[in-house]
mmCIF file of all heavy atoms in Angstrom:
data_model
loop_
_atom_site.group_PDB
_atom_site.id
_atom_site.type_symbol
_atom_site.label_atom_id
_atom_site.label_comp_id
_atom_site.label_asym_id
_atom_site.label_seq_id
_atom_site.Cartn_x
_atom_site.Cartn_y
_atom_site.Cartn_z
ATOM 1 N N LYS A 2 0.839 -1.210 0.000
ATOM 2 C CA LYS A 2 0.000 0.000 0.000
ATOM 3 C C LYS A 2 0.863 1.244 0.000
ATOM 4 O O LYS A 2 1.836 1.344 0.747
ATOM 5 C CB LYS A 2 -0.910 0.004 1.226
ATOM 6 C CG LYS A 2 -2.157 -0.825 1.097
ATOM 7 C CD LYS A 2 -3.006 -0.740 2.350
ATOM 8 C CE LYS A 2 -4.223 -1.638 2.251
ATOM 9 N NZ LYS A 2 -5.022 -1.640 3.502
ATOM 10 N N GLY A 3 0.506 2.176 -0.857
ATOM 11 C CA GLY A 3 1.224 3.434 -0.945
ATOM 12 C C GLY A 3 2.447 3.374 -1.845
ATOM 13 O O GLY A 3 3.044 4.408 -2.149
ATOM 14 N N ARG A 4 2.814 2.172 -2.276
ATOM 15 C CA ARG A 4 3.990 2.024 -3.146
ATOM 16 C C ARG A 4 3.617 1.471 -4.518
ATOM 17 O O ARG A 4 4.228 1.842 -5.526
ATOM 18 C CB ARG A 4 5.018 1.088 -2.503
ATOM 19 C CG ARG A 4 5.514 1.556 -1.152
ATOM 20 C CD ARG A 4 6.662 0.682 -0.648
ATOM 21 N NE ARG A 4 6.260 -0.714 -0.438
ATOM 22 C CZ ARG A 4 6.798 -1.746 -1.077
ATOM 23 N NH1 ARG A 4 7.751 -1.557 -1.983
ATOM 24 N NH2 ARG A 4 6.375 -2.987 -0.819
ATOM 25 N N PHE A 5 2.652 0.593 -4.569
ATOM 26 C CA PHE A 5 2.233 -0.038 -5.823
ATOM 27 C C PHE A 5 0.873 0.508 -6.248
ATOM 28 O O PHE A 5 0.029 0.805 -5.398
ATOM 29 C CB PHE A 5 2.118 -1.551 -5.667
ATOM 30 C CG PHE A 5 3.418 -2.285 -5.478
ATOM 31 C CD1 PHE A 5 4.612 -1.617 -5.250
ATOM 32 C CD2 PHE A 5 3.446 -3.667 -5.514
ATOM 33 C CE1 PHE A 5 5.796 -2.292 -5.069
ATOM 34 C CE2 PHE A 5 4.619 -4.369 -5.334
ATOM 35 C CZ PHE A 5 5.797 -3.673 -5.110
ATOM 36 N N THR A 6 0.670 0.583 -7.541
ATOM 37 C CA THR A 6 -0.612 1.010 -8.087
ATOM 38 C C THR A 6 -1.032 0.067 -9.202
ATOM 39 O O THR A 6 -0.271 -0.156 -10.148
ATOM 40 C CB THR A 6 -0.535 2.446 -8.629
ATOM 41 O OG1 THR A 6 -0.116 3.332 -7.588
ATOM 42 C CG2 THR A 6 -1.904 2.886 -9.150
ATOM 43 N N ILE A 7 -2.230 -0.467 -9.087
ATOM 44 C CA ILE A 7 -2.772 -1.316 -10.140
ATOM 45 C C ILE A 7 -3.754 -0.494 -10.975
ATOM 46 O O ILE A 7 -4.495 0.334 -10.436
ATOM 47 C CB ILE A 7 -3.465 -2.568 -9.555
ATOM 48 C CG1 ILE A 7 -3.843 -3.553 -10.657
ATOM 49 C CG2 ILE A 7 -4.668 -2.203 -8.690
ATOM 50 C CD1 ILE A 7 -4.314 -4.918 -10.127
ATOM 51 N N SER A 8 -3.731 -0.718 -12.270
ATOM 52 C CA SER A 8 -4.652 -0.012 -13.159
ATOM 53 C C SER A 8 -4.977 -0.926 -14.338
ATOM 54 O O SER A 8 -4.302 -1.925 -14.555
ATOM 55 C CB SER A 8 -4.051 1.310 -13.643
ATOM 56 O OG SER A 8 -2.859 1.076 -14.368
ATOM 57 N N ARG A 9 -5.992 -0.557 -15.054
ATOM 58 C CA ARG A 9 -6.389 -1.371 -16.209
ATOM 59 C C ARG A 9 -6.801 -0.474 -17.356
ATOM 60 O O ARG A 9 -7.278 0.642 -17.151
ATOM 61 C CB ARG A 9 -7.514 -2.328 -15.839
ATOM 62 C CG ARG A 9 -8.828 -1.672 -15.488
ATOM 63 C CD ARG A 9 -9.825 -2.693 -14.884
ATOM 64 N NE ARG A 9 -10.202 -3.719 -15.836
ATOM 65 C CZ ARG A 9 -10.730 -4.896 -15.481
ATOM 66 N NH1 ARG A 9 -10.916 -5.180 -14.191
ATOM 67 N NH2 ARG A 9 -11.057 -5.772 -16.398
ATOM 68 N N ASP A 10 -6.643 -0.991 -18.556
ATOM 69 C CA ASP A 10 -7.089 -0.319 -19.766
ATOM 70 C C ASP A 10 -7.966 -1.325 -20.511
ATOM 71 O O ASP A 10 -7.449 -2.242 -21.161
ATOM 72 C CB ASP A 10 -5.887 0.097 -20.616
ATOM 73 C CG ASP A 10 -6.277 0.915 -21.838
ATOM 74 O OD1 ASP A 10 -7.389 0.703 -22.374
ATOM 75 O OD2 ASP A 10 -5.471 1.746 -22.266
ATOM 76 N N ASN A 11 -9.262 -1.170 -20.388
ATOM 77 C CA ASN A 11 -10.162 -2.156 -20.976
ATOM 78 C C ASN A 11 -10.096 -2.155 -22.504
ATOM 79 O O ASN A 11 -10.280 -3.201 -23.131
ATOM 80 C CB ASN A 11 -11.596 -1.905 -20.525
ATOM 81 C CG ASN A 11 -11.811 -2.274 -19.063
ATOM 82 O OD1 ASN A 11 -11.056 -3.050 -18.485
ATOM 83 N ND2 ASN A 11 -12.845 -1.705 -18.462
ATOM 84 N N ALA A 12 -9.838 -1.016 -23.096
ATOM 85 C CA ALA A 12 -9.742 -0.946 -24.560
ATOM 86 C C ALA A 12 -8.547 -1.750 -25.067
ATOM 87 O O ALA A 12 -8.622 -2.391 -26.120
ATOM 88 C CB ALA A 12 -9.647 0.500 -25.014
ATOM 89 N N LYS A 13 -7.466 -1.720 -24.306
ATOM 90 C CA LYS A 13 -6.263 -2.470 -24.699
ATOM 91 C C LYS A 13 -6.257 -3.882 -24.119
ATOM 92 O O LYS A 13 -5.385 -4.675 -24.454
ATOM 93 C CB LYS A 13 -5.009 -1.732 -24.249
ATOM 94 C CG LYS A 13 -4.770 -0.415 -24.960
ATOM 95 C CD LYS A 13 -3.450 0.208 -24.500
ATOM 96 C CE LYS A 13 -3.169 1.497 -25.251
ATOM 97 N NZ LYS A 13 -1.877 2.115 -24.804
ATOM 98 N N MET A 14 -7.205 -4.154 -23.227
ATOM 99 C CA MET A 14 -7.249 -5.452 -22.540
ATOM 100 C C MET A 14 -5.947 -5.706 -21.792
ATOM 101 O O MET A 14 -5.341 -6.783 -21.890
ATOM 102 C CB MET A 14 -7.549 -6.592 -23.525
ATOM 103 C CG MET A 14 -8.929 -6.466 -24.153
ATOM 104 S SD MET A 14 -9.332 -7.771 -25.324
ATOM 105 C CE MET A 14 -9.288 -9.234 -24.309
ATOM 106 N N GLU A 15 -5.529 -4.710 -21.046
ATOM 107 C CA GLU A 15 -4.300 -4.811 -20.288
ATOM 108 C C GLU A 15 -4.503 -4.334 -18.850
ATOM 109 O O GLU A 15 -5.329 -3.467 -18.584
ATOM 110 C CB GLU A 15 -3.184 -4.003 -20.945
ATOM 111 C CG GLU A 15 -2.746 -4.538 -22.293
ATOM 112 C CD GLU A 15 -1.576 -3.783 -22.877
ATOM 113 O OE1 GLU A 15 -1.239 -2.711 -22.347
ATOM 114 O OE2 GLU A 15 -0.998 -4.266 -23.867
ATOM 115 N N VAL A 16 -3.722 -4.911 -17.972
ATOM 116 C CA VAL A 16 -3.668 -4.462 -16.589
ATOM 117 C C VAL A 16 -2.210 -4.212 -16.244
ATOM 118 O O VAL A 16 -1.315 -4.885 -16.781
ATOM 119 C CB VAL A 16 -4.329 -5.486 -15.638
ATOM 120 C CG1 VAL A 16 -3.579 -6.799 -15.636
ATOM 121 C CG2 VAL A 16 -4.444 -4.931 -14.231
ATOM 122 N N TYR A 17 -1.975 -3.243 -15.372
ATOM 123 C CA TYR A 17 -0.624 -2.818 -15.053
ATOM 124 C C TYR A 17 -0.410 -2.826 -13.543
ATOM 125 O O TYR A 17 -1.354 -2.683 -12.765
ATOM 126 C CB TYR A 17 -0.377 -1.411 -15.595
ATOM 127 C CG TYR A 17 -0.803 -1.234 -17.026
ATOM 128 C CD1 TYR A 17 -2.008 -0.611 -17.334
ATOM 129 C CD2 TYR A 17 -0.014 -1.706 -18.063
ATOM 130 C CE1 TYR A 17 -2.418 -0.458 -18.646
ATOM 131 C CE2 TYR A 17 -0.411 -1.564 -19.385
ATOM 132 C CZ TYR A 17 -1.617 -0.937 -19.672
ATOM 133 O OH TYR A 17 -2.026 -0.796 -20.979
ATOM 134 N N LEU A 18 0.845 -2.970 -13.188
ATOM 135 C CA LEU A 18 1.228 -2.813 -11.793
ATOM 136 C C LEU A 18 2.436 -1.887 -11.762
ATOM 137 O O LEU A 18 3.526 -2.284 -12.177
ATOM 138 C CB LEU A 18 1.562 -4.155 -11.145
ATOM 139 C CG LEU A 18 1.841 -4.082 -9.642
ATOM 140 C CD1 LEU A 18 0.551 -3.737 -8.872
ATOM 141 C CD2 LEU A 18 2.422 -5.395 -9.120
ATOM 142 N N GLN A 19 2.209 -0.669 -11.308
ATOM 143 C CA GLN A 19 3.296 0.285 -11.146
ATOM 144 C C GLN A 19 3.887 0.072 -9.769
ATOM 145 O O GLN A 19 3.189 0.213 -8.760
ATOM 146 C CB GLN A 19 2.787 1.714 -11.302
ATOM 147 C CG GLN A 19 3.851 2.776 -11.101
ATOM 148 C CD GLN A 19 4.929 2.742 -12.161
ATOM 149 O OE1 GLN A 19 4.628 2.605 -13.347
ATOM 150 N NE2 GLN A 19 6.175 2.859 -11.747
ATOM 151 N N MET A 20 5.157 -0.257 -9.733
ATOM 152 C CA MET A 20 5.855 -0.561 -8.482
ATOM 153 C C MET A 20 6.873 0.528 -8.214
ATOM 154 O O MET A 20 7.804 0.720 -8.994
ATOM 155 C CB MET A 20 6.546 -1.921 -8.595
ATOM 156 C CG MET A 20 5.605 -3.050 -9.035
ATOM 157 S SD MET A 20 6.471 -4.550 -9.537
ATOM 158 C CE MET A 20 7.334 -4.978 -8.039
ATOM 159 N N ASN A 21 6.694 1.263 -7.144
ATOM 160 C CA ASN A 21 7.616 2.321 -6.746
ATOM 161 C C ASN A 21 8.212 2.008 -5.384
ATOM 162 O O ASN A 21 7.679 1.190 -4.634
ATOM 163 C CB ASN A 21 6.892 3.664 -6.700
ATOM 164 C CG ASN A 21 6.353 4.095 -8.038
ATOM 165 O OD1 ASN A 21 6.910 3.774 -9.083
ATOM 166 N ND2 ASN A 21 5.254 4.839 -8.020
ATOM 167 N N SER A 22 9.318 2.657 -5.085
ATOM 168 C CA SER A 22 9.986 2.446 -3.789
ATOM 169 C C SER A 22 10.135 0.961 -3.495
ATOM 170 O O SER A 22 9.803 0.481 -2.403
ATOM 171 C CB SER A 22 9.194 3.130 -2.670
ATOM 172 O OG SER A 22 9.041 4.506 -2.928
ATOM 173 N N ILE A 23 10.657 0.264 -4.466
ATOM 174 C CA ILE A 23 10.750 -1.193 -4.375
ATOM 175 C C ILE A 23 11.712 -1.607 -3.273
ATOM 176 O O ILE A 23 12.792 -1.014 -3.118
ATOM 177 C CB ILE A 23 11.162 -1.791 -5.730
ATOM 178 C CG1 ILE A 23 10.016 -1.602 -6.737
ATOM 179 C CG2 ILE A 23 11.519 -3.263 -5.603
ATOM 180 C CD1 ILE A 23 10.352 -2.021 -8.145
ATOM 181 N N LYS A 24 11.314 -2.629 -2.543
ATOM 182 C CA LYS A 24 12.129 -3.162 -1.458
ATOM 183 C C LYS A 24 12.656 -4.551 -1.836
ATOM 184 O O LYS A 24 12.127 -5.209 -2.722
ATOM 185 C CB LYS A 24 11.288 -3.280 -0.184
ATOM 186 C CG LYS A 24 10.649 -1.987 0.270
ATOM 187 C CD LYS A 24 9.780 -2.212 1.498
ATOM 188 C CE LYS A 24 9.126 -0.915 1.962
ATOM 189 N NZ LYS A 24 8.281 -1.129 3.163
ATOM 190 N N ARG A 25 13.680 -4.981 -1.129
ATOM 191 C CA ARG A 25 14.248 -6.300 -1.418
ATOM 192 C C ARG A 25 13.193 -7.385 -1.299
ATOM 193 O O ARG A 25 13.186 -8.350 -2.072
ATOM 194 C CB ARG A 25 15.425 -6.590 -0.487
ATOM 195 C CG ARG A 25 16.629 -5.703 -0.747
ATOM 196 C CD ARG A 25 17.838 -6.151 0.055
ATOM 197 N NE ARG A 25 18.950 -5.229 -0.134
ATOM 198 C CZ ARG A 25 19.793 -5.265 -1.151
ATOM 199 N NH1 ARG A 25 19.645 -6.204 -2.080
ATOM 200 N NH2 ARG A 25 20.774 -4.398 -1.245
ATOM 201 N N GLU A 26 12.311 -7.234 -0.351
ATOM 202 C CA GLU A 26 11.297 -8.258 -0.134
ATOM 203 C C GLU A 26 10.224 -8.279 -1.217
ATOM 204 O O GLU A 26 9.351 -9.148 -1.198
ATOM 205 C CB GLU A 26 10.645 -8.089 1.240
ATOM 206 C CG GLU A 26 10.105 -6.713 1.520
ATOM 207 C CD GLU A 26 11.084 -5.851 2.312
ATOM 208 O OE1 GLU A 26 12.299 -5.925 2.037
ATOM 209 O OE2 GLU A 26 10.622 -5.098 3.191
ATOM 210 N N ASP A 27 10.286 -7.342 -2.142
ATOM 211 C CA ASP A 27 9.356 -7.372 -3.278
ATOM 212 C C ASP A 27 9.836 -8.314 -4.377
ATOM 213 O O ASP A 27 9.110 -8.585 -5.331
ATOM 214 C CB ASP A 27 9.187 -5.970 -3.869
ATOM 215 C CG ASP A 27 8.496 -5.009 -2.925
ATOM 216 O OD1 ASP A 27 7.567 -5.442 -2.205
ATOM 217 O OD2 ASP A 27 8.878 -3.816 -2.906
ATOM 218 N N GLY A 28 11.052 -8.797 -4.262
ATOM 219 C CA GLY A 28 11.583 -9.709 -5.258
ATOM 220 C C GLY A 28 10.787 -11.011 -5.280
ATOM 221 O O GLY A 28 10.619 -11.652 -4.247
ATOM 222 N N ALA A 29 10.296 -11.383 -6.442
ATOM 223 C CA ALA A 29 9.447 -12.576 -6.574
ATOM 224 C C ALA A 29 9.090 -12.758 -8.044
ATOM 225 O O ALA A 29 9.389 -11.899 -8.882
ATOM 226 C CB ALA A 29 8.168 -12.415 -5.755
ATOM 227 N N VAL A 30 8.416 -13.860 -8.333
ATOM 228 C CA VAL A 30 7.772 -14.018 -9.632
ATOM 229 C C VAL A 30 6.372 -13.437 -9.495
ATOM 230 O O VAL A 30 5.634 -13.805 -8.573
ATOM 231 C CB VAL A 30 7.711 -15.490 -10.068
ATOM 232 C CG1 VAL A 30 6.983 -15.611 -11.406
ATOM 233 C CG2 VAL A 30 9.119 -16.074 -10.162
ATOM 234 N N TYR A 31 6.033 -12.538 -10.379
ATOM 235 C CA TYR A 31 4.738 -11.876 -10.336
ATOM 236 C C TYR A 31 3.823 -12.491 -11.401
ATOM 237 O O TYR A 31 4.215 -12.627 -12.560
ATOM 238 C CB TYR A 31 4.898 -10.377 -10.575
ATOM 239 C CG TYR A 31 5.399 -9.663 -9.346
ATOM 240 C CD1 TYR A 31 6.711 -9.813 -8.930
ATOM 241 C CD2 TYR A 31 4.559 -8.845 -8.594
ATOM 242 C CE1 TYR A 31 7.177 -9.186 -7.783
ATOM 243 C CE2 TYR A 31 5.016 -8.204 -7.449
ATOM 244 C CZ TYR A 31 6.322 -8.388 -7.049
ATOM 245 O OH TYR A 31 6.775 -7.755 -5.913
ATOM 246 N N TYR A 32 2.642 -12.855 -10.951
ATOM 247 C CA TYR A 32 1.673 -13.519 -11.811
ATOM 248 C C TYR A 32 0.428 -12.652 -11.984
ATOM 249 O O TYR A 32 -0.058 -12.038 -11.031
ATOM 250 C CB TYR A 32 1.235 -14.852 -11.218
ATOM 251 C CG TYR A 32 2.332 -15.864 -11.089
ATOM 252 C CD1 TYR A 32 3.078 -15.961 -9.921
ATOM 253 C CD2 TYR A 32 2.622 -16.739 -12.130
ATOM 254 C CE1 TYR A 32 4.086 -16.899 -9.790
ATOM 255 C CE2 TYR A 32 3.631 -17.683 -12.008
ATOM 256 C CZ TYR A 32 4.355 -17.752 -10.839
ATOM 257 O OH TYR A 32 5.345 -18.684 -10.724
ATOM 258 N N CYS A 33 -0.088 -12.676 -13.171
ATOM 259 C CA CYS A 33 -1.357 -12.015 -13.475
ATOM 260 C C CYS A 33 -2.464 -13.073 -13.457
ATOM 261 O O CYS A 33 -2.279 -14.190 -13.941
ATOM 262 C CB CYS A 33 -1.264 -11.382 -14.854
ATOM 263 S SG CYS A 33 -2.770 -10.575 -15.436
ATOM 264 N N ASN A 34 -3.601 -12.688 -12.897
ATOM 265 C CA ASN A 34 -4.758 -13.580 -12.890
ATOM 266 C C ASN A 34 -5.996 -12.839 -13.349
ATOM 267 O O ASN A 34 -6.243 -11.707 -12.928
ATOM 268 C CB ASN A 34 -4.989 -14.130 -11.488
ATOM 269 C CG ASN A 34 -6.246 -14.970 -11.390
ATOM 270 O OD1 ASN A 34 -7.280 -14.525 -10.903
ATOM 271 N ND2 ASN A 34 -6.167 -16.204 -11.856
#
């Protein structure tokens, strides 16, 4: 919270995850569902 932002563009059929102030513990495989 306060660091990541999720958004979507229905026309493009895309979803985004803007990740700011990334921390070491954010390291992972990220999956879209």
Side-chain angles (χ1 to χ4, degrees):
K2 278 181 183 176
R4 301 187 298 119
F5 291 10
T6 302
I7 189 170
S8 61
R9 66 190 295 161
D10 185 329
N11 288 339
K13 293 183 177 180
M14 296 180 62
E15 294 184 348
V16 64
Y17 312 101
L18 186 69
Q19 178 66 44
M20 307 167 61
N21 298 329
S22 303
I23 292 174
K24 303 177 180 180
R25 292 188 184 277
E26 53 264 39
D27 293 323
V30 178
Y31 282 72
Y32 297 92
C33 177
N34 175 258

